Amino acid sequence: MLRIRVLHGPNLNLLGTREQSIYGTLSLDAMDSAIMKLAEELAVQVDLHQSNSESELVTWIQEARTEYDGIIINPAAYTHTSIAIRDAIAAVGLPTVEVHLSNVYQREEFRHCSYIAGVAIGQISGLGPIGYLLALRGLHDLLTSSRRQKKTTASATSRRAAKGTRS
Ligand code: DQA
């Protein structure tokens, strides 16, 4: 079973009440429930965390290295400031999708810079809560097809070995 860690950064605990014209009215709990529902349909194991602390987010990313197959992260304001979160993602080497509820490129200039984008496999920005669901589907598809490919390569290699032929 694929395992995906979902991380929400600072102030996302206030979703539903926070700047509703930008972030909408859905609470973080409601969003997490929608993510868990889709995960169940896709037979993916997800665990979800929110923190206002950069160090806690870094620790969860580090821990994911041995326990998870991929990460979905909305680093919130740390997107624009955190080399530590970028380095943690690069260090663990897990496929990571960066999600933003709002379209950060239509907002203030300082939000146009993401320290995370360069180490993520992709970024979804501006689609609201649907962004998390698309990230989950996308990561599921990529991980499933790369597992399938590995299996095909491994069985071709063992067939060749059984026949005593090379490459
Ligand atoms: C955000 C965008 C960030 O610029 C902002 O600091 C957030 C939320 C988003 O989801 O749109 O807190 O990541």
Side-chain angles (χ1 to χ4, degrees):
M1 193 182 220
L2 289 175
R3 291 158 307 170
I4 293 175
R5 177 158 267 185
V6 181
L7 299 175
H8 307 289
N11 298 308
L12 295 174
N13 53 316
L14 301 180
L15 285 177
T17 56
R18 172 193 185 198
E19 298 176 274
Q20 290 184 344
S21 60
I22 298 173
Y23 299 115
T25 53
L26 207 64
S27 68
L28 186 62
D29 277 353
M31 223 163 60
D32 281 349
S33 301
I35 296 169
M36 285 190 297
K37 187 168 171 277
L38 177 62
E40 232 176 84
E41 281 169 31
L42 297 173
V44 172
Q45 187 190 315
V46 288
D47 89 325
L48 303 108
H49 298 283
Q50 186 278 329
S51 181
N52 296 327
S53 144
E54 185 178 25
S55 88
E56 203 158 26
L57 291 163
V58 166
T59 300
W60 286 329
I61 293 165
Q62 289 180 6
E63 280 174 3
R65 193 173 67 85
T66 51
E67 306 285 324
Y68 292 88
D69 301 295
I71 296 172
I72 294 170
I73 184 167
N74 181 346
Y78 289 137
T79 308
H80 320 298
T81 62
S82 181
I83 297 170
I85 291 178
R86 177 196 174 100
D87 284 354
I89 293 169
V92 301
L94 290 174
T96 297
V97 181
E98 175 186 349
V99 174
H100 298 287
L101 296 157
S102 64
N103 182 341
V104 288
Y105 302 100
Q106 285 180 346
R107 300 180 62 192
E108 303 94 322
E109 189 96 25
F110 65 84
R111 294 184 206 273
H112 300 181
C113 158
S114 166
Y115 280 100
I116 312 306
V119 292
I121 59 166
Q123 184 195 59
I124 298 172
S125 180
L127 299 183
I130 289 169
Y132 285 95
L133 305 181
L134 293 174
L136 183 57
R137 271 189 197 283
L139 209 42
H140 165 267
D141 286 6
L142 285 171
L143 290 167
T144 309
S145 63
S146 95
R147 273 192 178 181
R148 212 177 293 131
Q149 221 168 340
K150 274 186 201 149
K151 262 194 200 159
T152 315
T153 313
S155 58
T157 309
S158 63
R159 266 199 312 275
R160 273 197 303 274
K163 278 203 233 159
T165 53
R166 286 166 153 235
S167 61

